[in-house]
Amino acid sequence: MIAMNVQAQKRYTIEINLRLEKQAQTQEAIYITGNFNTWNPKDERYKLTPNSERIGEYYIQLNDIPQGVLEYKFTRGSWQTLECSPKGRLINLHDQVIEQDEILQETIYAWRDQYPVSTAPEGLIVLENFIMPELNRTRAIRIYLPRNYKMSQQAYPVWYMHDGQDLFDEATSEGRLGPVEWGIDETLERLGDHYIIVGIDHEYEKNRREREYAFFPTSQTPMAEGKQYLSFIVHTLKPYIDANYRTRKDKESTGIAGGSLGGLISLYAGLTYPEVFGKVGVFSPSLWQDQQLQAYMDGFTPEQIQLLQQQQYFFYAGGRENRKIGGGEVVHMDQDVLNLVQQMEERFQLHNQVKINPMGKHGAWYWQQAFSWMIELDNQFNIK
């Protein structure tokens, strides 16, 4: 045990050499931010030093970096000035497993603020202040239609998705590590572009978002509004979408999906309304925050179970999605998902697909991949 503690306390020195491509060259200061400075995008302690002998080259030495995973990004002092791809899209964070002193080489191709702020697809419909009578409030609804929608008479399957402002546009998304979107429109265009996506914006105030996505009260969220939120989707929003757009209205053509708490409320949507949602995407669900799911499933009647057996569930989790909870306990979200899937298979003979990304973490970068995986399978199942 003593040897293990000594091992865990090892610290290393990391040197990073950075090269800027022509488009990225700048007279402004460049900063590195990461899990070593609580993701502060403009920390003067972590400003890179220009190489006086070579234009466009910089370096920095990070001291006292603990053994484990080092995560970082480069900015010019704000989340709006993050490094990006040559096409102007944000890239994933850099990460490196640190087990010794290292010299790392990185390249920046461009900066995000050199491109238009919005990445929303042309023609995205935004319904501002859509009334939610079940919750006595309003919300923005974002509707993606296939590019050939106006040129055809086809009816399309529909996916309802949470955290709508994070789905299509970097300008409205608010990821934990910068404005990362799910890339829904790009994924659909690549895989056939034959779905309507209805994104429901979340409340910007964190605790109110958690209330809407909590089906039962918890110690963290004593006031739960998830039942009313799902009732809004089923009894107000879906009838509106079906009445105003060419949709396939049957349950086999209707899905619901989300990530984190959005994954958890999607799971409850599928369990509660199996006659409405034939497809359910449950990405990185925050199962550790829920204490009543098992008791809820215990109460299902044979008739309800028969409906559940007609659904298709898509579960995703990352092997690096760990959470520390009360008492220092560590929750492994991938194992939570695998345990839940096993229980649901035994109880309900549930039809499901499961994807565990061993290197996956919690956030939109990984839910992009999960969404693509789900749509590819949905196409194969021909249940769209």
Side-chain angles (χ1 to χ4, degrees):
M1 181 64 70
I2 294 176
M4 290 178 62
N5 288 337
V6 171
Q7 181 79 0
Q9 294 170 2
K10 285 188 175 180
R11 303 271 173 167
Y12 299 102
T13 298
I14 309 301
E15 179 181 323
I16 299 178
N17 295 318
L18 179 66
R19 182 174 62 87
L20 305 186
E21 290 290 338
K22 184 176 181 179
Q23 183 175 344
Q25 292 183 14
T26 176
Q27 298 298 315
E28 297 181 58
I30 297 175
Y31 299 84
I32 186 171
T33 179
N35 58 356
F36 50 85
N37 75 334
T38 63
W39 294 100
N40 179 349
K42 189 178 182 180
D43 188 334
E44 295 299 327
R45 298 174 299 166
Y46 295 100
K47 182 164 63 175
L48 277 70
T49 301
N51 186 327
S52 59
E53 298 180 357
R54 296 185 179 182
I55 296 175
E57 294 190 7
Y58 297 73
Y59 63 91
I60 190 170
Q61 181 173 293
L62 306 180
N63 300 311
D64 204 32
I65 297 299
Q67 183 178 32
V69 178
L70 171 64
E71 301 177 340
Y72 55 96
K73 294 183 176 185
F74 297 100
T75 82
R76 299 195 332 276
S78 70
W79 290 124
Q80 289 70 40
T81 58
L82 280 164
E83 58 182 309
C84 71
S85 75
K87 295 184 178 180
R89 301 309 295 269
L90 291 176
I91 59 176
N92 200 358
L93 54 78
H94 308 274
D95 64 6
Q96 184 81 17
V97 177
I98 301 301
E99 297 178 336
Q100 60 185 11
D101 293 342
E102 295 270 5
I103 299 177
L104 306 177
Q105 310 291 334
E106 301 290 359
T107 301
I108 294 179
Y109 297 94
W111 300 102
R112 183 63 188 85
D113 61 332
Q114 294 174 326
Y115 296 85
V117 173
S118 177
T119 59
E122 184 178 353
L124 182 70
I125 299 168
V126 182
L127 306 178
E128 301 284 359
N129 300 316
F130 192 93
I131 297 174
M132 307 172 79
E134 293 81 357
L135 289 161
N136 193 31
R137 63 191 62 139
T138 63
R139 190 64 46 75
I141 306 296
R142 301 170 194 270
I143 304 169
Y144 173 86
L145 302 176
R147 290 195 172 187
N148 68 347
Y149 180 86
K150 293 182 178 180
M151 298 178 288
S152 75
Q153 295 302 313
Q154 180 180 349
Y156 295 89
V158 182
W159 281 95
Y160 291 86
M161 299 186 69
H162 319 290
D163 296 315
Q165 54 267 72
D166 299 337
L167 301 179
F168 307 103
D169 192 356
E170 287 178 4
T172 59
S173 62
E174 290 190 347
R176 292 185 303 149
L177 307 180
V180 181
E181 57 142 309
W182 284 48
I184 296 296
D185 48 304
E186 292 90 347
T187 296
L188 294 180
E189 290 168 11
R190 178 170 55 84
L191 296 178
D193 204 18
H194 45 235
Y195 293 92
I196 292 173
I197 305 293
V198 179
I200 307 151
D201 275 19
H202 61 69
E203 281 275 16
Y204 274 101
E205 188 179 332
K206 181 180 178 181
N207 67 336
R208 294 195 65 175
R209 173 185 179 271
E210 292 178 351
R211 280 162 48 179
E212 285 189 358
Y213 291 176
F215 195 78
F216 289 112
T218 68
S219 57
Q220 287 188 301
T221 312
M223 182 177 293
E225 299 177 334
K227 294 178 182 179
Q228 297 96 310
Y229 174 72
L230 293 181
S231 179
F232 157 71
I233 296 174
V234 170
H235 298 117
T236 299
L237 183 59
K238 185 178 188 300
Y240 175 88
I241 297 297
D242 287 340
N244 288 276
Y245 300 93
R246 296 194 309 275
T247 64
R248 296 183 183 178
K249 302 173 178 60
D250 57 279
K251 66 180 181 183
E252 291 78 12
S253 301
T254 306
I256 190 165
S260 192
L261 285 172
L264 183 60
I265 197 63
S266 294
L267 174 62
Y268 273 111
L271 296 174
T272 307
Y273 295 101
E275 74 283 2
V276 176
F277 301 110
K279 303 176 290 188
V280 185
V282 184
F283 304 159
S284 306
S286 302
L287 297 169
W288 59 277
Q289 292 195 30
D290 186 279
Q291 293 85 39
Q292 301 191 50
L293 177 59
Q294 299 298 328
Y296 186 59
M297 294 191 296
D298 287 341
F300 287 172
T301 66
E303 292 75 19
Q304 288 174 301
I305 294 174
Q306 187 175 15
L307 287 173
L308 295 178
Q309 293 170 345
Q310 299 170 18
Q311 295 174 298
Q312 180 69 48
Y313 284 75
F314 302 88
F315 289 96
Y316 166 84
R320 294 159 69 184
E321 292 192 86
N322 304 326
R323 287 287 182 275
K324 287 186 179 180
I325 58 178
E329 181 183 355
V330 177
V331 172
H332 299 277
M333 297 177 72
D334 58 336
Q335 193 58 54
D336 279 354
V337 165
L338 291 174
N339 291 340
L340 174 65
V341 169
Q342 181 179 355
Q343 293 171 19
M344 295 182 75
E345 286 177 342
E346 293 173 353
R347 291 186 184 202
F348 311 134
Q349 291 76 55
L350 192 74
H351 296 291
N352 65 79
Q353 296 290 324
V354 182
K355 180 179 178 65
I356 303 295
N357 176 1
M359 299 301 291
K361 290 177 282 189
H362 201 76
W365 291 116
Y366 304 95
W367 300 331
Q368 287 179 13
Q369 301 166 26
F371 180 77
S372 176
W373 162 77
M374 180 178 72
I375 293 299
E376 287 184 288
L377 287 179
D378 195 13
N379 290 342
Q380 292 174 18
F381 295 148
N382 196 31
I383 57 174
K384 57 184 182 296

